[in-house]
Amino acid sequence: MCGYLIEISLSMVLLSKILPYNVNRIANSIAATIITVVQIATLFAGKPTMYYMFFGAIEIT
């Protein structure tokens, strides 16, 4: 699962140069939503450490 999440972020770097402006905005919004939802979900899976919660909050923001 983690590999797919990395691929989403990496592909957006390339797609931001290739896609037209309007499509790029939609694709970036979808990708950001997916990554944010997954990051929030990982904060509730088990008991995260303090540094994970700190950096997770920064990433979500």
Side-chain angles (χ1 to χ4, degrees):
M1 179 68 177
C2 184
Y4 296 118
L5 296 175
I6 293 170
E7 290 298 323
I8 291 172
S9 300
L10 289 175
S11 64
M12 289 315 300
V13 173
L14 175 64
L15 291 176
S16 67
K17 298 294 183 184
I18 296 173
L19 294 175
Y21 178 74
N22 290 333
V23 178
N24 182 31
R25 285 186 60 194
I26 294 169
N28 271 309
S29 296
I30 292 170
T33 302
I34 292 170
I35 299 298
T36 302
V37 167
V38 169
Q39 184 64 33
I40 290 170
T42 60
L43 290 175
F44 297 106
K47 184 172 181 348
T49 58
M50 289 298 288
Y51 71 87
Y52 188 82
M53 290 190 315
F54 174 72
F55 289 116
I58 290 173
E59 187 175 343
I60 290 168
T61 306

mmCIF file of all heavy atoms in Angstrom, residues 24-51:
data_model
loop_
_atom_site.group_PDB
_atom_site.id
_atom_site.type_symbol
_atom_site.label_atom_id
_atom_site.label_comp_id
_atom_site.label_asym_id
_atom_site.label_seq_id
_atom_site.Cartn_x
_atom_site.Cartn_y
_atom_site.Cartn_z
ATOM 1 N N ASN A 24 -4.898 19.871 -14.250
ATOM 2 C CA ASN A 24 -3.850 19.780 -13.241
ATOM 3 C C ASN A 24 -4.380 20.163 -11.860
ATOM 4 O O ASN A 24 -4.065 19.508 -10.866
ATOM 5 C CB ASN A 24 -2.676 20.674 -13.634
ATOM 6 C CG ASN A 24 -1.534 20.583 -12.665
ATOM 7 O OD1 ASN A 24 -1.308 19.552 -12.056
ATOM 8 N ND2 ASN A 24 -0.807 21.673 -12.521
ATOM 9 N N ARG A 25 -5.176 21.205 -11.788
ATOM 10 C CA ARG A 25 -5.742 21.620 -10.500
ATOM 11 C C ARG A 25 -6.634 20.540 -9.912
ATOM 12 O O ARG A 25 -6.578 20.247 -8.717
ATOM 13 C CB ARG A 25 -6.551 22.912 -10.661
ATOM 14 C CG ARG A 25 -5.677 24.131 -10.814
ATOM 15 C CD ARG A 25 -6.485 25.388 -10.825
ATOM 16 N NE ARG A 25 -7.234 25.502 -9.567
ATOM 17 C CZ ARG A 25 -8.230 26.334 -9.368
ATOM 18 N NH1 ARG A 25 -8.601 27.137 -10.334
ATOM 19 N NH2 ARG A 25 -8.846 26.392 -8.225
ATOM 20 N N ILE A 26 -7.455 19.923 -10.743
ATOM 21 C CA ILE A 26 -8.343 18.860 -10.272
ATOM 22 C C ILE A 26 -7.531 17.649 -9.816
ATOM 23 O O ILE A 26 -7.785 17.081 -8.747
ATOM 24 C CB ILE A 26 -9.344 18.465 -11.381
ATOM 25 C CG1 ILE A 26 -10.290 19.636 -11.663
ATOM 26 C CG2 ILE A 26 -10.125 17.224 -10.998
ATOM 27 C CD1 ILE A 26 -11.139 19.471 -12.900
ATOM 28 N N ALA A 27 -6.543 17.253 -10.609
ATOM 29 C CA ALA A 27 -5.716 16.093 -10.264
ATOM 30 C C ALA A 27 -4.942 16.330 -8.967
ATOM 31 O O ALA A 27 -4.840 15.433 -8.120
ATOM 32 C CB ALA A 27 -4.752 15.779 -11.412
ATOM 33 N N ASN A 28 -4.402 17.527 -8.795
ATOM 34 C CA ASN A 28 -3.680 17.843 -7.565
ATOM 35 C C ASN A 28 -4.606 17.853 -6.358
ATOM 36 O O ASN A 28 -4.224 17.407 -5.277
ATOM 37 C CB ASN A 28 -2.968 19.188 -7.693
ATOM 38 C CG ASN A 28 -1.584 19.045 -8.258
ATOM 39 O OD1 ASN A 28 -0.799 18.245 -7.782
ATOM 40 N ND2 ASN A 28 -1.296 19.816 -9.280
ATOM 41 N N SER A 29 -5.814 18.343 -6.533
ATOM 42 C CA SER A 29 -6.778 18.352 -5.425
ATOM 43 C C SER A 29 -7.160 16.934 -5.024
ATOM 44 O O SER A 29 -7.248 16.619 -3.829
ATOM 45 C CB SER A 29 -8.033 19.126 -5.820
ATOM 46 O OG SER A 29 -7.718 20.478 -6.046
ATOM 47 N N ILE A 30 -7.363 16.071 -5.997
ATOM 48 C CA ILE A 30 -7.705 14.677 -5.705
ATOM 49 C C ILE A 30 -6.540 13.978 -5.016
ATOM 50 O O ILE A 30 -6.724 13.278 -4.015
ATOM 51 C CB ILE A 30 -8.120 13.942 -6.993
ATOM 52 C CG1 ILE A 30 -9.448 14.505 -7.508
ATOM 53 C CG2 ILE A 30 -8.214 12.442 -6.767
ATOM 54 C CD1 ILE A 30 -9.830 14.030 -8.893
ATOM 55 N N ALA A 31 -5.337 14.157 -5.543
ATOM 56 C CA ALA A 31 -4.155 13.524 -4.951
ATOM 57 C C ALA A 31 -3.928 14.018 -3.526
ATOM 58 O O ALA A 31 -3.639 13.220 -2.625
ATOM 59 C CB ALA A 31 -2.928 13.800 -5.814
ATOM 60 N N ALA A 32 -4.069 15.303 -3.304
ATOM 61 C CA ALA A 32 -3.868 15.866 -1.968
ATOM 62 C C ALA A 32 -4.914 15.343 -0.991
ATOM 63 O O ALA A 32 -4.598 15.056 0.171
ATOM 64 C CB ALA A 32 -3.913 17.384 -2.027
ATOM 65 N N THR A 33 -6.135 15.191 -1.444
ATOM 66 C CA THR A 33 -7.196 14.665 -0.592
ATOM 67 C C THR A 33 -6.906 13.222 -0.186
ATOM 68 O O THR A 33 -7.045 12.859 0.982
ATOM 69 C CB THR A 33 -8.561 14.756 -1.303
ATOM 70 O OG1 THR A 33 -8.814 16.123 -1.640
ATOM 71 C CG2 THR A 33 -9.676 14.219 -0.440
ATOM 72 N N ILE A 34 -6.482 12.414 -1.152
ATOM 73 C CA ILE A 34 -6.168 11.009 -0.862
ATOM 74 C C ILE A 34 -5.041 10.912 0.157
ATOM 75 O O ILE A 34 -5.139 10.190 1.152
ATOM 76 C CB ILE A 34 -5.807 10.255 -2.155
ATOM 77 C CG1 ILE A 34 -7.034 10.122 -3.043
ATOM 78 C CG2 ILE A 34 -5.218 8.881 -1.836
ATOM 79 C CD1 ILE A 34 -6.730 9.620 -4.437
ATOM 80 N N ILE A 35 -3.963 11.648 -0.079
ATOM 81 C CA ILE A 35 -2.809 11.587 0.813
ATOM 82 C C ILE A 35 -3.171 12.102 2.209
ATOM 83 O O ILE A 35 -2.741 11.546 3.221
ATOM 84 C CB ILE A 35 -1.622 12.376 0.215
ATOM 85 C CG1 ILE A 35 -1.204 11.764 -1.126
ATOM 86 C CG2 ILE A 35 -0.457 12.435 1.172
ATOM 87 C CD1 ILE A 35 -0.711 10.344 -1.046
ATOM 88 N N THR A 36 -3.966 13.152 2.285
ATOM 89 C CA THR A 36 -4.371 13.703 3.581
ATOM 90 C C THR A 36 -5.249 12.729 4.356
ATOM 91 O O THR A 36 -5.063 12.540 5.564
ATOM 92 C CB THR A 36 -5.102 15.043 3.394
ATOM 93 O OG1 THR A 36 -4.239 15.941 2.698
ATOM 94 C CG2 THR A 36 -5.500 15.650 4.718
ATOM 95 N N VAL A 37 -6.197 12.100 3.676
ATOM 96 C CA VAL A 37 -7.080 11.141 4.339
ATOM 97 C C VAL A 37 -6.276 9.959 4.880
ATOM 98 O O VAL A 37 -6.485 9.513 6.014
ATOM 99 C CB VAL A 37 -8.193 10.667 3.379
ATOM 100 C CG1 VAL A 37 -8.922 9.448 3.919
ATOM 101 C CG2 VAL A 37 -9.167 11.786 3.107
ATOM 102 N N VAL A 38 -5.331 9.472 4.096
ATOM 103 C CA VAL A 38 -4.497 8.357 4.545
ATOM 104 C C VAL A 38 -3.645 8.777 5.741
ATOM 105 O O VAL A 38 -3.502 8.031 6.715
ATOM 106 C CB VAL A 38 -3.616 7.833 3.389
ATOM 107 C CG1 VAL A 38 -2.566 6.865 3.892
ATOM 108 C CG2 VAL A 38 -4.477 7.192 2.323
ATOM 109 N N GLN A 39 -3.089 9.980 5.694
ATOM 110 C CA GLN A 39 -2.258 10.454 6.807
ATOM 111 C C GLN A 39 -3.076 10.589 8.080
ATOM 112 O O GLN A 39 -2.623 10.229 9.163
ATOM 113 C CB GLN A 39 -1.610 11.791 6.449
ATOM 114 C CG GLN A 39 -0.663 12.313 7.492
ATOM 115 C CD GLN A 39 0.540 11.413 7.683
ATOM 116 O OE1 GLN A 39 1.019 10.791 6.766
ATOM 117 N NE2 GLN A 39 1.024 11.340 8.908
ATOM 118 N N ILE A 40 -4.293 11.101 7.980
ATOM 119 C CA ILE A 40 -5.168 11.210 9.154
ATOM 120 C C ILE A 40 -5.512 9.825 9.682
ATOM 121 O O ILE A 40 -5.508 9.596 10.893
ATOM 122 C CB ILE A 40 -6.441 12.012 8.804
ATOM 123 C CG1 ILE A 40 -6.093 13.478 8.572
ATOM 124 C CG2 ILE A 40 -7.489 11.882 9.908
ATOM 125 C CD1 ILE A 40 -7.223 14.304 8.003
ATOM 126 N N ALA A 41 -5.790 8.882 8.785
ATOM 127 C CA ALA A 41 -6.143 7.520 9.202
ATOM 128 C C ALA A 41 -4.991 6.847 9.935
ATOM 129 O O ALA A 41 -5.222 6.092 10.890
ATOM 130 C CB ALA A 41 -6.557 6.701 7.987
ATOM 131 N N THR A 42 -3.758 7.110 9.527
ATOM 132 C CA THR A 42 -2.620 6.468 10.192
ATOM 133 C C THR A 42 -2.416 6.994 11.605
ATOM 134 O O THR A 42 -1.805 6.311 12.420
ATOM 135 C CB THR A 42 -1.313 6.653 9.396
ATOM 136 O OG1 THR A 42 -1.016 8.045 9.269
ATOM 137 C CG2 THR A 42 -1.404 6.011 8.024
ATOM 138 N N LEU A 43 -2.920 8.175 11.900
ATOM 139 C CA LEU A 43 -2.800 8.692 13.264
ATOM 140 C C LEU A 43 -3.687 7.925 14.250
ATOM 141 O O LEU A 43 -3.452 7.953 15.450
ATOM 142 C CB LEU A 43 -3.149 10.183 13.306
ATOM 143 C CG LEU A 43 -2.151 11.108 12.633
ATOM 144 C CD1 LEU A 43 -2.673 12.539 12.643
ATOM 145 C CD2 LEU A 43 -0.793 11.039 13.293
ATOM 146 N N PHE A 44 -4.717 7.247 13.729
ATOM 147 C CA PHE A 44 -5.634 6.509 14.585
ATOM 148 C C PHE A 44 -5.398 5.007 14.536
ATOM 149 O O PHE A 44 -6.129 4.249 15.166
ATOM 150 C CB PHE A 44 -7.085 6.832 14.211
ATOM 151 C CG PHE A 44 -7.421 8.276 14.427
ATOM 152 C CD1 PHE A 44 -7.554 9.136 13.353
ATOM 153 C CD2 PHE A 44 -7.585 8.773 15.705
ATOM 154 C CE1 PHE A 44 -7.858 10.468 13.546
ATOM 155 C CE2 PHE A 44 -7.890 10.106 15.909
ATOM 156 C CZ PHE A 44 -8.024 10.955 14.826
ATOM 157 N N ALA A 45 -4.413 4.550 13.797
ATOM 158 C CA ALA A 45 -4.085 3.125 13.721
ATOM 159 C C ALA A 45 -3.014 2.822 14.765
ATOM 160 O O ALA A 45 -1.861 3.190 14.612
ATOM 161 C CB ALA A 45 -3.588 2.768 12.325
ATOM 162 N N GLY A 46 -3.410 2.199 15.829
ATOM 163 C CA GLY A 46 -2.459 1.921 16.909
ATOM 164 C C GLY A 46 -2.212 3.160 17.748
ATOM 165 O O GLY A 46 -2.989 4.109 17.760
ATOM 166 N N LYS A 47 -1.098 3.149 18.461
ATOM 167 C CA LYS A 47 -0.719 4.299 19.289
ATOM 168 C C LYS A 47 0.511 4.946 18.670
ATOM 169 O O LYS A 47 1.621 4.444 18.820
ATOM 170 C CB LYS A 47 -0.419 3.850 20.715
ATOM 171 C CG LYS A 47 -0.109 5.002 21.641
ATOM 172 C CD LYS A 47 -0.015 4.529 23.063
ATOM 173 C CE LYS A 47 0.256 5.594 24.075
ATOM 174 N NZ LYS A 47 0.650 6.893 23.709
ATOM 175 N N PRO A 48 0.327 6.060 17.961
ATOM 176 C CA PRO A 48 1.471 6.702 17.312
ATOM 177 C C PRO A 48 2.381 7.390 18.332
ATOM 178 O O PRO A 48 1.931 7.828 19.396
ATOM 179 C CB PRO A 48 0.832 7.729 16.375
ATOM 180 C CG PRO A 48 -0.490 8.021 16.987
ATOM 181 C CD PRO A 48 -0.919 6.760 17.679
ATOM 182 N N THR A 49 3.638 7.482 17.987
ATOM 183 C CA THR A 49 4.599 8.172 18.847
ATOM 184 C C THR A 49 4.395 9.685 18.733
ATOM 185 O O THR A 49 3.730 10.166 17.815
ATOM 186 C CB THR A 49 6.033 7.824 18.449
ATOM 187 O OG1 THR A 49 6.220 8.176 17.087
ATOM 188 C CG2 THR A 49 6.306 6.341 18.624
ATOM 189 N N MET A 50 4.975 10.409 19.666
ATOM 190 C CA MET A 50 4.812 11.867 19.673
ATOM 191 C C MET A 50 5.414 12.506 18.422
ATOM 192 O O MET A 50 4.816 13.409 17.843
ATOM 193 C CB MET A 50 5.454 12.467 20.924
ATOM 194 C CG MET A 50 4.703 12.154 22.205
ATOM 195 S SD MET A 50 3.037 12.814 22.195
ATOM 196 C CE MET A 50 3.365 14.547 22.364
ATOM 197 N N TYR A 51 6.585 12.038 18.006
ATOM 198 C CA TYR A 51 7.196 12.649 16.828
ATOM 199 C C TYR A 51 6.394 12.332 15.575
ATOM 200 O O TYR A 51 6.319 13.148 14.662
ATOM 201 C CB TYR A 51 8.672 12.237 16.673
ATOM 202 C CG TYR A 51 8.912 10.817 16.261
ATOM 203 C CD1 TYR A 51 8.939 10.461 14.923
ATOM 204 C CD2 TYR A 51 9.144 9.831 17.201
ATOM 205 C CE1 TYR A 51 9.167 9.157 14.539
ATOM 206 C CE2 TYR A 51 9.376 8.524 16.837
ATOM 207 C CZ TYR A 51 9.389 8.189 15.490
ATOM 208 O OH TYR A 51 9.617 6.899 15.110
#
